[in-house]
Each structure stands twice: as structure tokens, then as C-alpha cells.
Amino acid sequence: MKSCSSWRISLALLSLLCTTTVTTELQACTTAVISGKVTVDGRPMLWKNRDTSDAKHNEVAVIEGGKLKAVAVVNAGERKTVWMGVNEAGFCIENSVSKDLAVKGGASGPGNGTIMRMALQTCESVEDFQKLLEKTNQSGRSTVANYGVIDAKGGAGLFETGPKTFKFFDANDPKVAPNGYIVRSNFSTTGQKLGANPKPDQLTGIYSGDRFLCACRTMESCRSDELISLQEVVRNCARDMSDDKGTPYPGSVNGVAGSLPEIISTKNTISRTTTVSAAVFHGVKPGEDPKLTTMWAMLGDPKFSIAVPNFPIGSVADDLSDEKGGEIGEIAISLRDWNMTSDKESIFSAAMPGIWQDLWPVEDLLMERTLAEKERWASKGVTLKEMKNLQEKAAEAAMRAMEKELIDAKEAALALPTPAAPQF
């Protein structure tokens, strides 16, 4: 990251020390389920940006105690609920909150994060998850969520799930998903009594409707020769910054060439000041080893972080796992907070191009090497030792890159001119 010269950016680097207000946005998750029919390599994908105001520190953790081993993004130090994850059978799950699925009088039973933990521990397929929902329809849930799922058999879809009911949307069905993917934000089509693919004029006044449309446009921008690649989803979806009309800001990852605005409001962006983590799950083709399913985890705000591969093999790299928050994510939190406005709703942008210039080539290299190994392993086989070594080395490289950004930010702050001494 290049040194910041303007005082506004220098002030932003120190703003962590003086901000006192808190954000009012509680939930703003954005997700997509992508069929293998429209991906470059024929493998399904699943994406989620996690937004919350009460769980700033996240980590990647091993989830034990069930039939299946899993790794998942969780609130730091907490294993009873998970917020996105993959198990050794290649089943992946994530969610976005959808309060329009609530029922009068409330509900009891497992909630959004508990159901996902149960699913990772017991489900091998999309069909298994449907059976879990059918069972808990009877016993009761306190869920209000859109659950995105993929599996090692090519299954890919989304369940809009209330306390006693659910509706399935199949990403492999062209009638349901004509573009091969299903996008959701924080409303459900069943709760709003809409069709599977609502039109813009149907979303007026619906919370997160604008973000849903922005995510749909971003997914379309990821197409190359009508196909979608992992690299495009990680870079372009998780880091999107668009205005209230869904137009990416100039100079941003999806924007036209130009300079970023000095201050970017994140009230309407996909990557927000409330984004605490993100993940893109890259599945396998039917017949491939399910353990090759990869969770590319971005701890902290993804526009200040780096994607790191995780396999469901019962271990997690040290740089991603800590009861107080994975270290890579904690650095991303610091970088974001130092560049955040005092109301915590906008970002000072001047440091961001330098951060991207440093981090994204490292991420590109990690993805290139991991995808190459995944292809080789899919055809020739692999040992758990090899997979563990790759994910640990990848995390180490990501951590070095993040540490450099932290040092550069501190040096920029220390280089600020010392204020003149007061005159008495």
C-alpha cells in the first residue's frame, strides 16, 4: 500500500481511536447459488457476504460432534452456530436472513445458525437437507432464512425457510433459474408473494430489493462467454461497491476506469461497513472426491481482506482460527476501521487502490495454484497431507500480505505531520 498523502486519508487511518457511533444496519447478507451448468469448469458454486452488527470477529473453525466433519465460518470462539460451511461429503450451506418468513406469535426450536450446524453434521446432499427441513417442519424451528446449498452430486438450490414451511428453488432448473443462478438478499419471494425471478418494479419499497438487483447485475457482469468463473465471483461479487442505483463506482472492481470518489457510502453496496466475512464455495463434479470442495474464506470486510482456500479435512490454518478472531480477519478489520468515516457508514477511499494493488496479485496466485492442484488431484488422487499442506501454505502467504498492509498503514499514520504546540 502506498503512503497516504492527503490529510483526510491520514485522519481516516486514525479514526479507529475516535469513532463513537454505531451502525444501524443489523442484517444485510447477499448470496447466490450457481449451477455447474453455467460455470467455466462445470462445478457448482455458492457465495455469501455476511453482514451483522453484533459479531464483528469471525474465524474458520472445525465443526465436530456429528456424523460428518466440517469447516465453517463462525463467530469467534463460538461453535454452536455456523454461518456458512462445508462438510467432508461436499455439502455446502449458507444463508441470508429473511424476516418476512416469520410467523405470528413467534416460534421455537433451532434457529438459522443452529440448523446450518445440524446440516453440516448430518447432510450429504441437497435432498438430505430437504429431509431435515421436512422433519423440523413437524418438531419446529425458529428459522427465517434463505438457505443456499450445493453438493458433490451437482445439486444446487435455495430453500426459503420459515418456522414451519419451506420452498425449494432449483438452480439447475431453467424455468426457476433461467440464467443458471439464484440470488437472494434479505427478503423472500414467498414472503413477498412474488415469482422466482422478481422484476425491478415489483421490489419498490422492499428492504434489500435494491441490493438484490445489484447482485443480479453483478452476477451478469461475471459472465465470460456465458460462463462464470470462481475468480470472477470472488473478486467481483464479494467486493462490489455500487451506488443506490446499482452502478459500480468508477475505479472500483466492477466500475469503469477512473478515480474512486473520496468518500463511498456503503448503505447500498454489497461490500459494506457491516460486512464481517465472506465465502465462495467451489464444488466438485459428480464422481470427484468430495473433500476437494473448497471454501474460499474472506475474514473481515472482503474489500480489505484476501480469500484463502479451506478443505473439509478436519483442520484449519492457524492464521484463520482463533477464539478472538482469525488473525487475517483481525487485520482486515483494522484496515477497514482505519479508513471508515466517524459515522461508520462510509469509507475513505484513497488507500484502497494501493491495498488492492498489493493483495489481489497474491490472491490471484493462490487461486491459480489451488485450482491447478485441484484439477490434478481430481484426476490422479490426493492425500490429506497434501491438502493440509496447501491450505496452510496459502494461509501463510495471505497472512504475510496482510501483515505488510498493516505495517504500511501504521507507517503512513506515523508519518503524519506533528501538530504545532499550543501557544500560551
Side-chain angles (χ1 to χ4, degrees):
M1 181 178 68
K2 297 177 182 178
S3 297
C4 303
S5 56
S6 74
W7 97 205
R8 188 174 294 278
I9 295 306
S10 298
L11 180 62
L13 289 168
L14 297 175
S15 65
L16 180 63
L17 301 176
C18 58
T19 53
T20 57
T21 58
V22 295
T23 180
T24 57
E25 292 292 343
L26 298 178
Q27 298 287 347
C29 301
T30 312
T31 73
V33 186
I34 308 166
S35 166
K37 294 180 179 181
V38 296
T39 63
V40 169
D41 59 8
R43 298 180 175 98
M45 289 188 285
L46 189 61
W47 156 54
K48 173 181 175 176
N49 268 36
R50 183 188 182 206
D51 285 72
T52 180
S53 60
D54 58 5
K56 186 175 182 179
H57 306 282
N58 288 198
E59 64 170 321
V60 179
V62 176
I63 304 301
E64 299 175 319
K67 181 178 74 172
L68 299 165
K69 295 178 183 177
V71 293
V73 175
V74 301
N75 296 339
E78 202 274 306
R79 302 288 188 277
K80 293 181 180 180
T81 54
V82 306
W83 302 107
M84 43 195 156
V86 54
N87 68 24
E88 60 184 327
F91 174 81
C92 307
I93 188 167
E94 51 75 18
N95 82 308
S96 66
V97 171
S98 187
K99 293 184 178 180
D100 55 12
L101 291 165
V103 295
K104 290 183 179 180
S108 61
N112 294 346
T114 304
I115 282 287
M116 287 195 284
R117 185 177 190 274
M118 293 168 63
L120 290 175
Q121 291 180 315
T122 62
C123 297
E124 297 185 14
S125 65
V126 174
E127 289 78 10
D128 285 348
F129 183 62
Q130 180 165 330
K131 291 176 182 177
L132 175 62
L133 293 181
E134 289 170 349
K135 180 179 178 180
T136 52
N137 269 352
Q138 305 305 314
S139 60
R141 300 181 299 264
S142 56
T143 52
V144 284
N146 303 312
Y147 291 110
V149 291
I150 61 173
D151 64 30
K153 301 176 183 179
L158 182 132
F159 293 84
E160 294 185 347
T161 308
K164 292 283 188 178
T165 61
F166 66 84
K167 183 174 181 179
F168 178 59
F169 298 82
D170 190 349
N172 290 316
D173 184 347
K175 293 181 181 178
V176 174
N179 296 320
Y181 57 80
I182 299 169
V183 169
R184 286 294 183 271
S185 51
N186 300 110
F187 70 90
S188 68
T189 58
T190 50
Q192 299 294 333
K193 296 180 172 54
L194 298 170
N197 298 283
K199 302 229 165 76
D201 59 0
Q202 295 177 297
L203 300 178
T204 303
I206 294 177
Y207 172 68
S208 78
D210 53 350
R211 189 158 27 86
F212 168 84
L213 295 172
C214 179
C216 290
R217 286 188 287 266
T218 302
M219 286 297 305
E220 280 303 295
S221 74
C222 288
R223 287 180 179 274
S224 177
D225 296 326
E226 295 303 309
L227 298 176
I228 299 170
S229 73
L230 171 69
Q231 295 94 324
E232 289 166 331
V233 177
V234 170
R235 185 68 48 80
N236 296 63
C237 293
R239 278 81 174 238
D240 179 77
M241 292 187 297
S242 297
D243 61 23
D244 57 357
K245 296 180 177 60
T247 303
Y249 287 104
S252 68
V253 62
N254 294 323
V256 298
S259 299
L260 291 167
E262 184 179 8
I263 296 176
I264 297 176
S265 169
T266 69
K267 289 182 178 180
N268 299 290
T269 61
I270 291 176
S271 179
R272 305 158 75 90
T273 57
T274 53
T275 305
V276 296
S277 57
V280 177
F281 298 86
H282 185 221
V284 295
K285 298 175 185 177
E288 293 180 343
D289 187 343
K291 291 187 181 67
L292 295 178
T293 305
T294 318
M295 177 175 72
W296 287 89
M298 291 161 269
L299 296 182
D301 186 334
K303 60 182 172 287
F304 292 97
S305 190
I306 190 167
V308 184
N310 295 265
F311 301 107
I313 56 174
S315 66
V316 176
D318 289 343
D319 297 315
L320 296 172
S321 184
D322 189 279
E323 63 180 10
K324 294 183 179 180
E327 290 182 86
I328 288 174
E330 295 307 291
I331 293 175
I333 289 171
S334 294
L335 293 174
R336 191 267 307 280
D337 287 355
W338 292 347
N339 289 280
M340 191 157 51
T341 57
S342 60
D343 62 6
K344 296 191 176 184
E345 292 185 345
S346 302
I347 293 290
F348 292 113
S349 70
M352 294 175 67
I355 292 174
W356 298 339
Q357 184 178 350
D358 291 345
L359 293 184
W360 288 356
V362 177
E363 183 177 87
D364 289 341
L365 186 59
L366 294 182
M367 299 190 79
E368 179 184 338
R369 289 178 176 176
T370 302
L371 290 176
E373 288 295 85
K374 185 168 179 173
E375 289 290 350
R376 184 173 69 85
W377 293 342
S379 61
K380 296 184 178 180
V382 62
T383 66
L384 294 183
K385 182 178 179 181
E386 289 177 288
M387 298 177 75
K388 182 178 179 181
N389 181 65
L390 186 151
Q391 69 179 21
E392 287 183 349
K393 296 296 184 185
E396 289 172 5
M399 184 63 179
R400 286 195 299 270
M402 293 295 291
E403 286 178 324
K404 181 181 183 302
E405 293 310 301
L406 185 64
I407 291 170
D408 286 353
K410 288 180 177 178
E411 289 179 348
L414 291 172
L416 291 175
T418 304
Q423 305 222 348
F424 299 99

